[in-house]
Amino acid sequence: LSRMKPVIVVHGGAGRIFKEREEGCRAGVARAALRGYAVLKQGGSAVDAVEEAVRSMEDDPHFNAGYGSVLNEKGEVEMDAIIMDGKNLDSGAVSAVKCIANPIKLARLVMEKTKHMLLTDHGAHLFAQAMGIPEIPGEKLITERSRERWKKNLEPDSNPEEFQKDLGTVGAVAIDSEGNVACATSTGGLSNKLIGRVGDTACIGSGGYADNHSGATSTTGHGESIMKVVLARLTLYHMEQGMSPEVAADTALDYMKARAGGLGGVIVVNKEGEWAARFSTKQMSWATVKNDNLHYGICAGEKHIKSVDEALASEREGF
């Protein structure tokens, strides 16, 4: 049996990334991709790799997931996450969870330790306790920047829609040396959202989908629009019809824009290990590692390439 060359692709959210945050976002997605790739190189599974990559971005305050998540209308962090295994279509998700550092870890436990796919809010909290996941005070997840933005959005003449433009989600897709694919996605959601609002991230087929027969996708962008077209599954459907990852992603994003007026981004890997990172927003931070080369970018058409060794060395200095 010929072994697959492992591939990982990550995104740090689609939207508008402010200049002063670009470097941090580039470094953050590159680091996540390198960590996920290290798991694959050691023979780890695609599921292990995407969980590791997403955990890395949850811990990074540059991204709207885990630490650094945006705040809901009451000024609290409520997070959603999903993980899916393309081998048997098993999936685990959590929605509206509070007071844990890494929702993606909890989603993985839902997948592996329950017969269910999605646990929400209080039930997810009880399950986290039962699994021994440490509870942390909600304030520990809040950055100064998230609090500032929340306050600004409370002003009577503010337009929260304006602020949504630089927000996203984090995600990863991978194929391992066995040819198994997986996806993972995690988010803090929309700034100043209603309490209990859940977007696309926790919904199978919208925030992510993985199937060994075709490939894996993770999405970012306007959650309600993504849900209307079931963007992750739609992208895979186009690949099943014979499109390349790039054309499939563009076609799905074009449809979402035309039909629902929504913008977003998609990362894809197909069962042959071909990948794409496409977006209809101004920007999306993304990175991928294949054949021991790291590719990454933020703006349309931007692509930097470094060898993994070079990237690991320069990681200490920042990108």
Side-chain angles (χ1 to χ4, degrees), residues 151-186:
K151 280 202 197 113
K152 263 214 177 78
N153 284 347
L154 290 179
E155 291 165 11
D157 59 346
S158 84
N159 174 10
E161 292 304 307
E162 238 340 273
F163 285 93
Q164 299 311 350
K165 294 198 172 79
D166 69 318
L167 293 178
T169 297
V170 305
V173 295
I175 188 164
D176 59 31
S177 53
E178 313 272 293
N180 293 313
V181 298
C183 71
T185 313
S186 179

Side-chain angles (χ1 to χ4, degrees), residues 14 200 206 219-232 234-235 238 248-266 278-281:
D200 64 293
S206 291
T219 65
T220 168
H222 184 244
E224 282 72 14
S225 300
I226 290 170
M227 291 159 97
K228 286 178 184 179
V229 302
V230 198
L231 186 62
L234 181 61
T235 304
H238 287 314
D250 285 345
T251 305
L253 286 166
D254 287 348
Y255 179 73
M256 183 169 82
K257 191 174 176 179
R259 191 72 183 85
L263 302 178
V266 189
R278 308 294 293 170
F279 47 99
S280 52
T281 49

Side-chain angles (χ1 to χ4, degrees), residues 229-249:
V229 302
V230 198
L231 186 62
R233 190 68 192 82
L234 181 61
T235 304
L236 281 187
Y237 165 77
H238 287 314
M239 292 204 311
E240 289 158 6
Q241 302 302 303
M243 289 183 189
S244 70
E246 191 157 302
V247 176

Side-chain angles (χ1 to χ4, degrees), residues 8-11 32-33 35-36 48-60 63 65-66 80-83 101-105 170-173 183-187 218 267:
I8 186 154
V9 193
V10 307
H11 69 73
R35 285 190 180 170
D48 289 337
V50 294
E51 181 189 11
E52 177 58 32
V54 165
R55 196 188 56 75
S56 167
M57 291 183 285
E58 285 177 340
D59 293 343
D60 186 328
F63 304 108
D80 307 330
I82 194 167
I83 194 163
N102 297 107
I104 199 64
K105 280 188 166 164
V170 305
V173 295
C183 71
T185 313
S186 179
T187 190
S218 168
I267 52 171

Side-chain angles (χ1 to χ4, degrees), residues 185-197:
T185 313
S186 179
T187 190
L190 287 180
S191 192
N192 297 63
K193 62 189 177 180
L194 293 182
I195 291 161
R197 178 266 186 186

Side-chain angles (χ1 to χ4, degrees), residues 23-24 26-28 30-31 34 296 306 309-319:
E23 280 316 297
R26 265 193 204 98
R31 183 182 305 116
L34 290 165
Y296 61 97
K306 289 182 178 183
D309 294 340
E310 192 192 342
L312 288 169
S314 73
E315 203 191 337
R316 295 170 194 101
E317 290 94 68
F319 278 79

Side-chain angles (χ1 to χ4, degrees), residues 125-136:
H125 173 75
L126 294 175
F127 176 65
Q129 279 180 328
M131 290 289 118
I133 294 212
E135 201 176 317
I136 60 169

